[in-house]
Amino acid sequence: MARADVIDATQPNAPPLDDAPAGRPSPWAWVPSLYFAEGLPYVVVMTLAVVMFKRLGVGNTEIALYTSWLYLPYAIKALWSPVVQRLGTRRRWVVFTQLLIGAGMACTGLAIPAEDFVRWTLAALALVAVSSATHDVAADGFYLLALNSHQQAWFVGIRSTAYRLAMIAGQGLLVMFAGQLETSTGNIPLAWSATFFLVAGMFVLFSLYHAVVMPKPVLDAPPADGASGNWLAGFAVPFATFFKKPRIVALLAFLLLYRFPEAQLVKLTAPFLLDSREAGGLELSTQEFGFVYGTVGVAMLTFGGILGGFFAARDGLKHWLWPMALAIHLPNAAFLFLAYAQPESRWLITLAVAVEQFGYGFGFTAYMLYCIYISRGEHETVHYALCSGMMALGMMIPGMWSGWLQEQIGYQHFFLWIMIAMVPSFLTVMFIPLDAAFGKKDAHG
């Protein structure tokens, strides 16, 4: 469908980045807050929950298995993405799912002090994960509809930065907040309940704010055949067209395996940093973990992501794919060093985490850009959801066994295995199609 508001950004008179029709809010008013709200529940479910369970005495095998199951809604969200695309508007879905996320956070806070807290907190976090995955579909679809092509290309860096700020908040500031409450109250369950209630309040405010400031683009409407007998056919078409893409096997292998080492590493970094030295960990306090991993680490992650975006835009992804693939994996050796050396210096630990996170930020740029490029077309909302769903599936399955594996072989051998696990990722990079889609010209949109 042609868009009346799209102006070719390659022309000398391309519009300014904050250009918007009269009465429509500037993208600056909603893009950063929307992607902060997209990133925060994900990091709460995938990282903050890991720290919480560790502080509440749950074992590594259970932590990795249970929190990996929470990836499932993100992995299969494409199954209901046509519902988001065909019922109501993406804008309404965004506002509604933010309220649901807030409700799930509040339920988690209520469940933490319960006797059978693991079961009930997992049920509440599952509500957060389903609502968050649906929010992802709606938010990404809205982004593609509300911005012209020039703005889409430029604001991809802004949305990534906002997403990473959410990571700082989720695995840095909120962890430090919980750690401070642990110290001041001496009550670990109460500290974590209060933390989740705080996040619940934030999402009520996000929902109210976006209900007011997000624009109402003309294209944000159900398809014309939404109420007709073509419903089932229209539901299936986006999936069929995705799996008819050229060299689909190579594409799926890349989407599933590019992050194979990280999928296992990410489940054990918090337990490793928090565990006692007798257990092979580094014995950081909750507050120290929040500072090392959640602020300095995510700051370097952000810097790596921005630098990766700059180089990809300048030279094209094809030029930088292999450097990015090496960058996302080789710095995992920092944790191998920490496991064997077990340094006492907090600065050395911080430096090692910073190196690993910078490499991940730089290398993940390749994955994000590849998802955007192969999603372009008539069904981009569903296709992007399929790409991110494949990514989540690739994180979920290896993560499920990672805690068990670590407890069998110890932290040192586990991080050695992470280095070996790079091989499948590198093999997928060798076979994905790049020539037509990822030259310098396309990198500029």
Side-chain angles (χ1 to χ4, degrees):
M1 181 185 297
R3 291 187 53 170
D5 64 334
V6 173
I7 301 176
D8 188 353
T10 63
Q11 300 303 315
N13 296 321
L17 292 172
D18 61 352
D19 181 66
R24 179 182 293 189
S26 166
W28 288 101
W30 58 269
V31 171
S33 59
L34 179 64
Y35 279 90
F36 186 91
E38 181 173 316
L40 188 57
Y42 181 83
V43 75
V44 165
V45 169
M46 297 304 162
T47 302
L48 188 69
V50 172
V51 181
M52 177 194 72
F53 283 129
K54 188 67 180 178
R55 294 296 297 146
L56 293 174
V58 182
N60 287 357
T61 297
E62 291 77 15
I63 290 173
L65 177 62
Y66 297 155
T67 58
S68 291
W69 272 113
L70 295 174
Y71 274 116
L72 184 59
Y74 298 96
I76 64 174
K77 64 186 178 181
L79 296 180
W80 61 83
S81 59
V83 177
V84 177
Q85 180 171 284
R86 304 178 73 86
L87 289 181
T89 66
R90 278 65 152 190
R91 186 182 188 277
R92 290 175 185 170
W93 278 101
V94 165
V95 172
F96 175 64
T97 52
Q98 286 176 358
L99 280 176
L100 282 181
I101 291 168
M105 296 292 185
C107 289
T108 304
L110 290 171
I112 288 172
E115 183 176 348
D116 192 6
F117 73 92
V118 174
R119 176 187 299 178
W120 295 112
T121 52
L122 284 172
L125 288 170
L127 172 60
V128 173
V130 171
S131 303
S132 171
T134 308
H135 178 272
D136 290 356
V137 174
D140 292 337
F142 185 85
Y143 178 88
L144 296 172
L145 293 175
L147 302 180
N148 63 46
S149 58
H150 176 59
Q151 292 169 324
Q152 286 179 28
W154 201 90
F155 274 95
V156 71
I158 302 302
R159 61 183 260 186
S160 298
T161 300
Y163 197 96
R164 290 188 174 101
L165 288 174
M167 296 182 69
I168 293 176
Q171 64 191 46
L173 301 181
L174 288 176
V175 172
M176 294 171 72
F177 175 76
Q180 180 61 39
L181 289 180
E182 287 180 6
T183 302
S184 61
T185 66
N187 188 327
I188 294 177
L190 176 62
W192 285 97
S193 289
T195 302
F196 275 89
F197 287 136
L198 173 63
V199 182
M202 292 172 62
F203 272 90
V204 172
L205 295 177
F206 277 134
S207 182
L208 295 174
Y209 176 75
H210 289 129
V212 174
V213 305
M214 286 175 64
K216 298 179 180 179
V218 174
L219 291 178
D220 187 17
D225 66 343
S228 72
N230 293 328
W231 166 267
L232 290 177
F235 192 95
V237 165
F239 296 98
T241 56
F242 180 85
F243 288 100
K244 290 179 181 178
K245 291 181 180 291
R247 296 179 64 181
I248 185 61
V249 173
L251 295 180
L252 292 177
F254 178 79
L255 292 173
L256 291 169
L257 294 175
Y258 184 68
R259 302 175 72 186
F260 182 65
E262 181 216 345
Q264 301 166 77
L265 178 73
V266 72
K267 290 300 177 187
L268 274 302
T269 51
F272 169 64
L273 293 173
L274 294 168
D275 248 337
S276 67
R277 291 184 176 271
E278 291 77 12
L282 297 185
E283 208 167 344
L284 300 186
S285 70
T286 305
Q287 290 171 286
E288 288 174 329
F289 172 85
F291 175 76
V292 170
Y293 201 80
T295 56
V296 174
V298 178
M300 293 303 293
L301 176 77
T302 303
F303 178 57
I306 293 173
L307 199 63
F310 170 78
F311 285 127
R314 188 189 68 178
D315 303 316
L317 181 58
K318 183 178 179 180
H319 181 83
W320 284 98
L321 179 61
W322 272 105
M324 288 179 176
L326 293 170
I328 199 172
H329 297 314
L330 291 182
N332 291 340
F335 279 96
L336 184 64
F337 163 75
L338 292 176
Y340 276 92
Q342 285 196 298
E344 297 280 350
S345 171
R346 294 298 186 258
W347 291 109
L348 186 57
I349 295 170
T350 302
L351 177 63
V353 172
V355 169
E356 186 269 335
Q357 288 291 285
F358 173 82
Y360 169 65
F362 188 79
F364 185 62
T365 303
Y367 194 98
M368 184 177 68
L369 287 176
Y370 204 87
C371 287
I372 290 174
Y373 290 148
I374 66 177
S375 300
R376 289 175 175 172
E378 182 181 359
H379 304 290
E380 55 193 358
T381 297
V382 177
H383 287 188
Y384 193 87
L386 279 166
C387 288
S388 55
M390 292 293 176
M391 174 188 71
L393 187 63
M395 295 291 288
M396 172 185 166
I397 295 174
M400 292 176 72
W401 72 61
S402 59
W404 172 84
L405 179 62
Q406 182 277 318
E407 290 193 333
Q408 298 303 308
I409 64 177
Y411 283 115
Q412 293 179 348
H413 291 160
F414 175 76
F415 292 124
L416 182 61
W417 157 250
I418 293 299
M419 301 305 294
I420 298 171
M422 297 187 301
V423 174
S425 177
F426 289 146
L427 289 175
T428 65
V429 173
M430 295 174 60
F431 295 105
I432 56 172
L434 284 171
D435 294 341
F438 297 97
K440 182 176 178 180
K441 179 180 178 181
D442 193 69
H444 289 283

